[in-house]
Amino acid sequence: MKMNKNILLSASNLAKTGALGVIFMGMSACNPEPDESNRFTATNETIESFLQKDSTLSSFNYILSRVGLDRVMASYGQYTCYAPTNEGVQRYVDSLYYDDEALIPHNGIAEGSVTADKHVLLEGMSDSLCNDIARYHLTNGLYSIVNMGGAGSTITTMLGRPISTKVDAEGNTILNEVSTIRSEDNEVENGLVHIIDRVVPRSTRLLADELARQSDFTIFSEALRLTGLNDSVTKSNRGVTYTLEKDLNGDCKDTNGSVLYYPTECKIGYTILAETDEVFRANGINNIDDLIAYANNVYGGASGWYDYVRETGNAVSTGTDYTNRFNALNMFVAYHILYAAMAQDQLVFENKTGVPVGTSKWNYANGGEPYDYYETMLPHTLLKIWEPQPGKTLYINRYRTFNTLTNEVGTMGTNHTLVNPGIIIERKDIIAYNGYIHPIKGMLIYNEQVPNGVLYERMRFESTTFLPEFINNGFRYMSMSEVSALNGGGSGARIAFPLTYFDNVVCYTQQSTLRYNVKGDYRAYQADAFQGWGQYDLAIRIPPVPSGQYEFRLFYSPMGHGGMMQFYLGTSSNVQSMTALDIPLDVRIQETDPRIGWTPFYDEDDSGIATDKAMRNRGYMRGPFSFVGHPGNGWDDQSKNCRGDGVVTLRRILCRQNFKQSENYWFRIKSVINDETDLKWQLDFIELVPVDVVDNDQYSEDWY
């Protein structure tokens, strides 16, 4: 079967149309700089002058002026301002003063700062409170009303805390479930102003305290308290001030000489996926005792299928010490907690509209479906979040047979039976100071079906999902314009990181560099990549998987500035415990080199099946069919999927190895070119695939 050339445009076709030069420009310009142009109509009016002109916004402008942000809003840049009306500000400040549950009296508003009719005088607010309110209503970058539509979005504010948006039944855009945009997209010279009816509320309570305040979660909240896991979700910051190790040239610079932004703090956050009391009641659970009995029934026999318990010699307890990490109730609750703080629209990288104007579009193609895997607090376990229809329903641990195998060339196949539809995540964000609570519409458990069904497939792990610092500090979804604003208007294409920033990254030499390609126009799975340059030598802890034999693969792009690296794998970060994986990989070798043997499959009568086999024999695979490289340059998505892209991507098969769920596995990447300092390592995603899936004698692995 020859592929339709109207859909899949080959490299030879591009050459005939004069487009081949575009391909090579794309190959040499993988990391474009951000577009700093103002895309909105010039009005000779700034955000500040707009606020000054509207007397109904004077209270918010007063708050800005208290902390000097009025001057920022009068200067050049690209900002979005969510300006609450005077009535909205007064209502909010009054609520802070009269809050009996405030952590500090009157939330820091001066005692007695009230009028005769018991309204609070704005002058009684502390500078710190004014700063928090002001920065929580301002963003770097432009967020139009269209950007906030659809299934909702998450917006990073100048305070570093996110705002969640949604559209209600009447078509109104709502912020944090409370504030409604009443006047939208007011265009000014330096950005946009949205007028809102209330101050956007932000929680100052930690996750457990916020959960306890929610009347719909009384049973889950009690279970969180009994297990002591409420104490495990209290951190919000490492409390460390980071400085960046200088690069070899004495400064923190990109390869083009641009000074890069780097974080000086590291936030910590969590996500709790929790059943409401209504969901519990629907499953015969009316109180905490019923939940304990349910957990004992589900997890009492876990040693039979939970490899970690069996391999470590731990016994599952159904006793009353609920703080025991292998008590059944503790196990039940722990499987609901993730180590990354994510709004519902961030749980998978999806086709969402909530991105600033000018950023690259969503890059899935050919019916590719967004999904990601996350590690939970139940030791060494994963759950999968899957969105079969982009922008629609999110499911946890949805399971269909032969999920990554197909009976049809070039499609996902018709050989699948839905065994478990999965647990629906409600499209609602409950925001705490250090994370999110998401209501779920079914009973979430780690049972035998998860390791033997849900996870018994080709598992593709994006690096930003198993290094939670990217998520907790807002970098995973940050735009180039936002990074540029943090960088004083400088480069926003990359972020630099101190060598000790990530818990699960160990650098063996000070010559290593850690970089992040911010989401943009790249040959990358989710439009971003973790990378570095120089004479690097580092190791990264990869996600835990159920015990079994797996094929371990690395995704990469062949490129002239790629490095030559030796890979190792071990059960600790001690280099003495690691084993070399095959011979070094030279990323500079182009795909058509006989050592790789890539061909444009869409020009072949068998759709590249014979070439696939020949490449596999050499230890290579084509990139996936399910997403595109360089999604923002105007080419048709179908013509440049990463299986046959004009700027090609590859997967390198590193080894077949037995993995134990009870072990930690560290993946070491070491440069073997000692006299080069400008070559790159990159970790976009890895794949761990059960060998029985790879070697299935009935179906073949799909292209996706």
Side-chain angles (χ1 to χ4, degrees):
M1 179 183 73
K2 182 175 274 191
M3 302 303 290
N4 186 340
K5 292 187 182 180
N6 290 326
I7 297 176
L8 297 170
L9 187 62
S10 72
S12 61
N13 296 144
L14 288 170
K16 293 174 184 176
T17 61
L20 194 56
V22 177
I23 294 177
F24 293 116
M25 283 190 292
M27 292 177 67
S28 62
C30 293
N31 305 313
E33 294 301 311
D35 180 3
E36 301 292 345
S37 63
N38 191 329
R39 297 175 179 267
F40 285 84
T41 305
T43 63
N44 296 320
E45 184 173 55
T46 65
I47 292 174
E48 173 59 20
S49 62
F50 181 93
L51 298 177
Q52 289 177 351
K53 186 177 67 176
D54 190 336
S55 61
T56 69
L57 305 176
S58 59
S59 293
F60 181 65
N61 198 38
Y62 167 79
I63 292 173
L64 292 180
S65 68
R66 282 280 301 273
V67 292
L69 285 170
D70 57 333
R71 296 190 296 274
V72 175
M73 293 299 104
S75 64
Y76 173 79
Q78 288 188 333
Y79 309 103
T80 302
C81 173
Y82 303 89
T85 63
N86 295 344
E87 181 182 354
V89 171
Q90 191 66 61
R91 179 187 303 169
Y92 182 71
V93 176
D94 289 348
S95 71
L96 294 180
Y97 187 85
Y98 294 110
D99 182 4
D100 293 334
E101 298 181 15
L103 299 178
I104 58 176
H106 305 302
N107 281 292
I109 300 173
E111 182 77 33
S113 300
V114 293
T115 62
D117 55 0
K118 297 186 178 180
H119 287 308
V120 177
L121 295 168
L122 300 186
E123 290 78 6
M125 300 168 61
S126 65
D127 289 344
S128 175
L129 179 57
C130 288
N131 182 71
D132 286 356
I133 293 174
R135 291 184 179 276
Y136 199 50
H137 290 74
L138 301 172
T139 73
N140 293 305
L142 303 176
Y143 288 87
S144 71
I145 198 72
V146 173
N147 298 141
M148 295 180 280
S153 63
T154 302
I155 297 167
T156 302
T157 68
M158 283 189 181
L159 188 61
R161 305 267 309 279
I163 289 175
S164 294
T165 78
K166 73 174 186 180
V167 178
D168 67 13
E170 287 74 40
N172 298 311
T173 300
I174 313 296
L175 310 180
N176 283 6
E177 305 285 337
V178 171
S179 305
T180 301
I181 294 180
R182 296 303 186 191
S183 176
E184 63 197 43
D185 289 349
N186 295 283
E187 301 177 12
V188 294
E189 185 71 19
N190 61 346
L192 290 171
V193 179
H194 304 289
I195 300 176
I196 58 179
D197 63 351
R198 297 189 179 199
V199 170
V200 183
R202 70 197 191 288
S203 177
T204 59
R205 294 175 175 83
L206 299 176
L207 269 168
D209 294 331
E210 187 61 46
L211 184 68
R213 284 173 52 86
Q214 302 292 322
S215 60
D216 297 338
F217 295 93
T218 61
I219 299 174
F220 193 93
S221 180
E222 177 66 6
L224 186 70
R225 185 190 65 80
L226 278 178
T227 57
L229 289 170
N230 56 338
D231 293 331
S232 298
V233 292
T234 58
K235 293 181 180 179
S236 61
N237 195 298
R238 283 195 190 143
V240 175
T241 300
Y242 290 92
T243 56
L244 192 69
E245 300 81 1
K246 298 296 183 180
D247 288 353
L248 294 178
N249 60 5
D251 205 347
C252 170
K253 292 184 178 179
D254 203 347
T255 54
N256 62 4
S258 300
V259 175
L260 296 178
Y261 167 78
Y262 71 92
T264 58
E265 66 170 358
C266 186
K267 298 174 185 174
I268 297 172
Y270 313 89
T271 297
I272 297 178
L273 304 161
E275 294 89 348
T276 63
D277 293 344
E278 180 182 1
V279 168
F280 279 137
R281 286 193 296 268
N283 288 273
I285 298 169
N286 298 296
N287 52 50
I288 188 64
D289 291 332
D290 290 343
L291 180 58
I292 291 169
Y294 176 87
N296 288 345
N297 180 56
V298 170
Y299 287 99
S303 57
W305 41 265
Y306 182 12
D307 300 319
Y308 182 92
V309 171
R310 182 177 62 254
E311 292 166 2
T312 57
N314 289 290
V316 176
S317 168
T318 57
T320 58
D321 180 7
Y322 305 117
T323 62
N324 176 355
R325 290 306 306 271
F326 297 100
N327 174 274
L329 181 66
N330 196 296
M331 294 168 71
F332 174 87
V333 175
Y335 192 60
H336 290 65
I337 305 174
L338 310 181
Y339 290 100
M342 294 174 285
Q344 51 81 19
D345 75 309
Q346 296 177 326
L347 293 168
V348 295
F349 176 62
E350 60 181 349
N351 183 11
K352 65 190 183 71
T353 55
V355 294
V357 171
T359 56
S360 294
K361 62 182 178 180
W362 179 63
N363 67 337
Y364 286 98
N366 299 316
E369 298 173 346
Y371 63 88
D372 275 307
Y373 307 89
Y374 296 100
E375 188 171 358
T376 82
M377 275 198 182
L378 181 61
H380 286 214
T381 62
L382 299 171
L383 57 75
K384 179 182 180 181
I385 298 179
W386 184 4
E387 193 176 46
Q389 294 180 291
K392 302 296 184 181
T393 305
L394 291 162
Y395 297 91
I396 308 172
N397 289 346
R398 185 178 176 88
Y399 168 43
R400 65 181 187 182
T401 57
F402 306 114
N403 186 47
T404 54
L405 295 171
T406 183
N407 60 346
E408 295 180 349
V409 173
T411 75
M412 292 183 185
T414 60
N415 54 318
H416 311 297
T417 300
L418 187 63
V419 178
N420 188 333
I423 304 205
I424 294 174
I425 301 174
E426 188 175 338
R427 287 284 186 176
K428 179 180 180 181
D429 291 329
I430 301 172
I431 306 174
Y433 183 76
N434 62 336
Y436 290 87
I437 302 158
H438 299 304
I440 58 177
K441 298 184 177 181
M443 299 297 294
L444 177 58
I445 54 175
Y446 184 77
N447 61 8
E448 189 171 5
Q449 190 182 87
V450 179
N452 297 331
V454 175
L455 304 179
Y456 198 70
E457 63 183 14
R458 176 190 60 231
M459 289 182 284
R460 183 173 296 155
F461 296 97
E462 221 272 348
S463 59
T464 59
T465 63
F466 58 86
L467 295 173
E469 290 87 352
F470 282 113
I471 299 172
N472 290 330
N473 292 276
F475 302 132
R476 186 186 185 197
Y477 276 101
M478 196 169 282
S479 69
M480 291 184 183
S481 62
E482 289 173 319
V483 176
S484 178
L486 293 173
N487 197 24
S491 173
R494 291 189 180 90
I495 297 173
F497 291 96
L499 299 185
T500 58
Y501 194 78
F502 300 93
D503 279 342
N504 290 329
V505 176
V506 173
C507 295
Y508 301 113
T509 170
Q510 292 293 307
Q511 305 307 314
S512 299
T513 59
L514 305 180
R515 300 288 185 264
Y516 175 57
N517 267 17
V518 178
K519 290 201 181 297
D521 186 12
Y522 306 125
R523 282 182 283 172
Y525 176 41
Q526 294 182 359
D528 62 356
F530 186 36
Q531 62 177 210
W533 303 78
Q535 297 172 357
Y536 48 83
D537 188 1
L538 68 154
I540 301 167
R541 177 183 173 267
I542 63 177
V545 292
S547 296
Q549 191 175 31
Y550 290 83
E551 185 168 278
F552 181 32
R553 306 169 183 165
L554 174 74
F555 172 83
Y556 78 97
S557 300
M559 59 186 73
H561 56 282
M564 184 173 181
M565 56 205 74
Q566 179 67 59
F567 301 115
Y568 303 81
L569 194 65
T571 54
S572 84
S573 58
N574 185 333
V575 295
Q576 304 302 320
S577 70
M578 294 185 173
T579 302
L581 303 179
D582 203 10
I583 61 174
L585 173 67
D586 192 341
V587 180
R588 299 167 298 178
I589 297 175
Q590 293 302 299
E591 65 278 357
T592 54
D593 188 289
R595 288 169 286 182
I596 298 175
W598 179 93
T599 59
F601 76 95
Y602 33 73
D603 279 345
E604 299 173 357
D605 290 335
D606 68 346
S607 302
I609 293 176
T611 308
D612 287 341
K613 292 180 180 178
M615 288 179 62
R616 171 172 272 282
N617 289 338
R618 301 183 190 103
Y620 292 91
M621 296 176 65
R622 304 178 198 267
F625 192 53
S626 55
F627 66 96
V628 297
H630 293 301
N633 61 13
W635 294 356
D636 181 85
D637 287 354
Q638 301 295 325
S639 72
K640 60 192 197 71
N641 64 81
C642 285
R643 175 176 166 83
D645 196 342
V647 277
V648 176
T649 63
L650 299 169
R651 284 172 282 182
R652 174 67 173 171
I653 302 169
L654 297 177
C655 70
R656 287 191 172 193
Q657 177 166 317
N658 189 60
F659 284 75
K660 290 186 176 181
Q661 189 177 30
S662 57
E663 298 281 6
N664 290 310
Y665 288 90
W666 289 80
F667 178 45
R668 182 185 177 194
I669 306 170
K670 184 180 188 300
S671 173
V672 294
I673 305 177
N674 294 327
D675 57 348
E676 292 280 359
T677 61
D678 60 350
L679 298 182
K680 177 172 68 174
W681 66 268
Q682 183 163 299
L683 184 65
D684 186 4
F685 72 76
I686 59 172
E687 291 179 344
L688 286 165
V689 193
V691 168
D692 289 346
V693 171
V694 181
D695 296 338
N696 189 281
D697 58 7
Q698 184 179 8
Y699 304 118
S700 60
E701 187 176 343
D702 65 38
W703 291 358
Y704 287 76

